[in-house]
Amino acid sequence: MKGILTSLASGDTQEVILDYVIETEGNRRIFKLIGGPIGYESFYIDDKVIERIGKNGWTACMGTKYVYDRLFIPADEMRKALGGKIKWVE
């Protein structure tokens, strides 16, 4: 999947390619990004979160100046990553 990485030190942005997994824990599904700025970017997949992310994209990491960069995943990339499994609300 493609994301937009913004350096909070310089303000420069670049497109990055990221990997992810969708895991099941009990009866819940978890979306986990691999290789994000802090390494723990993830969320439980539920209808409310999916509706928001499918419409607005996902800020996987807000960033901390000089520590962690900001990472944003556009809505179209999130919809592709989650496949046709979710009913998207436009």
Side-chain angles (χ1 to χ4, degrees):
M1 82 179 343
K2 296 177 186 175
I4 301 165
L5 188 68
T6 303
S7 167
L8 292 185
S10 68
D12 295 337
T13 62
Q14 64 178 321
E15 185 175 273
V16 292
I17 303 298
L18 302 156
D19 291 320
Y20 62 91
V21 295
I22 296 175
E23 297 180 351
T24 301
E25 183 179 280
N27 62 350
R28 299 183 84 179
R29 293 186 314 150
I30 306 167
F31 182 93
K32 294 182 178 182
L33 195 61
I34 299 170
I38 65 169
Y40 294 99
E41 295 85 2
S42 62
F43 60 88
Y44 286 107
I45 300 172
D46 69 31
D47 292 340
K48 288 182 182 183
V49 170
I50 292 302
E51 182 177 338
R52 238 183 358 256
I53 287 174
K55 189 174 184 180
N56 303 314
W58 178 40
T59 301
C61 184
M62 289 297 294
T64 304
K65 194 165 187 170
Y66 302 113
V67 180
Y68 298 114
D69 292 332
R70 180 179 190 273
L71 179 61
F72 176 74
I73 313 295
D76 60 330
E77 289 294 313
M78 290 306 302
R79 288 192 298 265
K80 284 190 276 186
L82 293 167
K85 300 172 188 171
I86 303 298
K87 180 181 178 185
W88 299 104
V89 177
E90 296 295 330

